[in-house]
Amino acid sequence: MKIVVTGGAGFIGSNFIFYMLNKYKEYEIICVDKLTYAGNLSTLKTVMDNPNFTFVKADICDRETIYKLFEDVKPNIVVNFAAESHVDRSIENPDIFLQTNIMGTAVLMDACRKYGIDRYHQVSTDEVYGDLPLDRPDLFFTEETPIHTSSPYSSSKAGADLLVLAYHRTYGLPVTISRCSNNYGPYHFPEKLIPLMIANALNDKPLPVYGKGENVRDWLYVEDHCKAIDLIIHNGKVGEVYNIGGHNEMKNIDIVKLICKELNKPESLITYVADRKGHDMRYAIDPTKIHNELGWLPETMFADGIKKTIKWYLENREWWEEIISGEYQNYYKKMYENR
């Protein structure tokens, strides 16, 4: 079995690679990553010498390179994590999000059509559903919830999802889509909420919180997400969408206060900043479908997962300090200039 994992040097993609290489000793994993600001090759250094792992530096929008890769590798499965994913960046520069998230997806699926594939899996987000009101805790996103996007980022992901489903209907491409809630865990890029708060707190820097911090997110430990995708690509029904949620709803401000408590830092570090444009209030996923069809349930409660995550950042300061300093972007050159 050969699996192409795009965006594998990023947060969720790298954790998926670690999980799959550990579980399936006979599988070959080919990681494709452009190594933009969020792609970090040093994240993958523990598997770089694994004979069943190959890293390819490439842009999924580069049709010629992607076609050559498929011709050479002949993958059985493609799992597409590659995406521009930071909402704030999408507000400042929407164009790159449309290019990577929609056109890149099209290139990958065209390659799948041309060279054959057993399964194409699109990793999407619950943000395509928009948001839910804070005063209706009984409401959840299901796979039938209409798409109602709020940002250029979520719009680009929704556009990609619709394209994937259209390729299935028009060309018969064997596809699946998963829409997950907010992930957290090891190797999370430190501009996102949880790693940013951990890094800033450890350095006694201000902890910037949007608005009043009342926004609610459903948090999913990254390894639980990887297990869900594993089930979907092997046993999920072709043409179906699966929601993956953590059943761990938390207000942003409560998470920041919890991190302060775990690190023994004062809450006086918390600084409230102007809210994000079009900021969604609440995300919450109903994962009943994936539970009933594939037997998946989240295994990690937030209270346990956040402790494990904080412990990882304490034990791996060099990894995130290199990112904050910008030094991590030189890692690819160090790894390959003498090869």
Side-chain angles (χ1 to χ4, degrees), residues 107-121:
V107 169
L108 288 172
M109 291 193 296
D110 285 341
C112 290
R113 289 177 55 220
K114 182 176 176 67
Y115 295 100
I117 201 78
D118 296 328
R119 177 68 59 92
Y120 173 88
H121 183 73

Side-chain angles (χ1 to χ4, degrees), residues 86-298:
H86 196 272
V87 175
D88 290 339
R89 288 177 184 259
S90 81
I91 293 170
E92 294 300 318
N93 184 16
D95 184 66
I96 186 64
F97 284 73
L98 304 178
Q99 183 68 24
T100 299
N101 298 356
I102 298 177
M103 295 308 300
T105 296
V107 169
L108 288 172
M109 291 193 296
D110 285 341
C112 290
R113 289 177 55 220
K114 182 176 176 67
Y115 295 100
I117 201 78
D118 296 328
R119 177 68 59 92
Y120 173 88
H121 183 73
Q122 179 77 2
V123 180
S124 189
T125 170
D126 58 358
E127 294 188 44
V128 300
Y129 298 124
D131 64 351
L132 298 166
L134 292 177
D135 60 357
R136 289 293 306 276
D138 57 311
L139 294 180
F140 295 88
F141 296 138
T142 72
E143 290 80 2
E144 306 305 317
T145 301
I147 286 175
H148 187 70
T149 60
S150 303
S151 70
Y153 160 62
S154 57
S155 297
S156 68
K157 292 297 287 184
D161 286 4
L162 293 172
L163 195 62
V164 170
L165 294 174
Y167 268 61
H168 170 62
R169 180 164 179 169
T170 304
Y171 305 113
L173 193 69
V175 307
T176 42
I177 297 172
S178 58
R179 294 172 179 156
C180 68
S181 54
N182 283 40
N183 280 219
Y184 69 105
Y187 298 107
H188 202 175
F189 196 76
E191 72 177 2
K192 301 288 188 170
L193 177 69
I194 288 177
L196 176 64
M197 296 301 139
I198 293 171
N200 280 17
L202 287 172
N203 290 322
D204 296 309
K205 290 184 176 181
L207 308 179
V209 175
Y210 282 128
K212 297 179 180 179
E214 297 291 318
N215 307 73
V216 172
R217 299 293 181 260
D218 175 17
W219 292 92
L220 176 67
Y221 192 64
V222 66
E223 186 176 9
D224 289 345
H225 186 192
C226 295
K227 291 177 180 179
I229 295 174
D230 176 25
L231 285 169
I232 294 169
I233 62 176
H234 287 100
N235 303 313
K237 293 179 183 176
V238 168
E240 293 291 314
V241 175
Y242 293 91
N243 283 352
I244 308 172
H247 277 314
N248 285 303
E249 288 186 55
M250 294 279 292
K251 289 182 181 180
N252 288 349
I253 188 62
D254 292 338
I255 290 176
V256 178
K257 289 179 178 179
L258 180 58
I259 289 170
C260 287
K261 182 179 178 182
E262 289 291 328
L263 294 175
N264 196 29
K265 296 293 183 177
E267 291 185 8
S268 58
L269 287 174
I270 297 173
T271 304
Y272 296 96
V273 299
D275 209 351
R276 168 192 289 160
K277 296 176 182 176
H279 202 173
D280 289 336
M281 291 309 299
R282 174 176 171 253
Y283 301 150
I285 275 184
D286 179 356
T288 299
K289 179 177 177 178
I290 190 172
H291 173 61
N292 288 344
E293 291 190 13
L294 303 178
W296 180 88
L297 278 176

